């Protein structure tokens, strides 16, 4: 039980530090770099989608879906929403830039 608690506290600490670091990094990004940053986030979410598909396939093949399979399904849904939303925002921003160039 002691090893589990130590691991849990370490994981929560890393998660909280990642939140603060991510917020600080994103808040310092100039607006001109948001589109490339969104593309990078889409690539990471694409990797998440592949991992979630792989995990859900492995877990659902035995006929009894466990917690990992349901978490993989939730990760798949959330990453898909992130990728689609990111592409929509990127497309809209590129249309705005292209519209300015035409005029």
């Amino acid at each position: 039980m002691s090893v589990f608690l130590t691991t849990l506290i370490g994981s929560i600490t890393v998660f909280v530090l990642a939140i603060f670091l991510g917020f600080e990094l994103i808040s310092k990004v100039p607006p001109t770099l948001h589109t490339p940053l969104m593309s990078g986030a889409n690539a990471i979410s694409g990797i998440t989608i592949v991992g979630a598909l792989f995990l859900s396939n492995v877990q659902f093949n035995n006929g009894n879906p466990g917690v990992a399979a349901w978490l993989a399904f939730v990760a798949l849904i959330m990453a898909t929403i992130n990728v689609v939303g990111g592409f929509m925002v990127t497309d809209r921003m590129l249309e705005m830039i292209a519209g300015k160039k035409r005029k």
Side-chain angles (χ1 to χ4, degrees), residues 2-21:
S2 167
V3 174
F4 173 74
L5 187 60
T6 305
T7 305
L8 180 65
I9 290 172
S11 298
I12 291 172
T13 303
V14 169
F15 181 69
V16 170
L17 288 174
I19 289 172
F20 286 124
L21 179 65

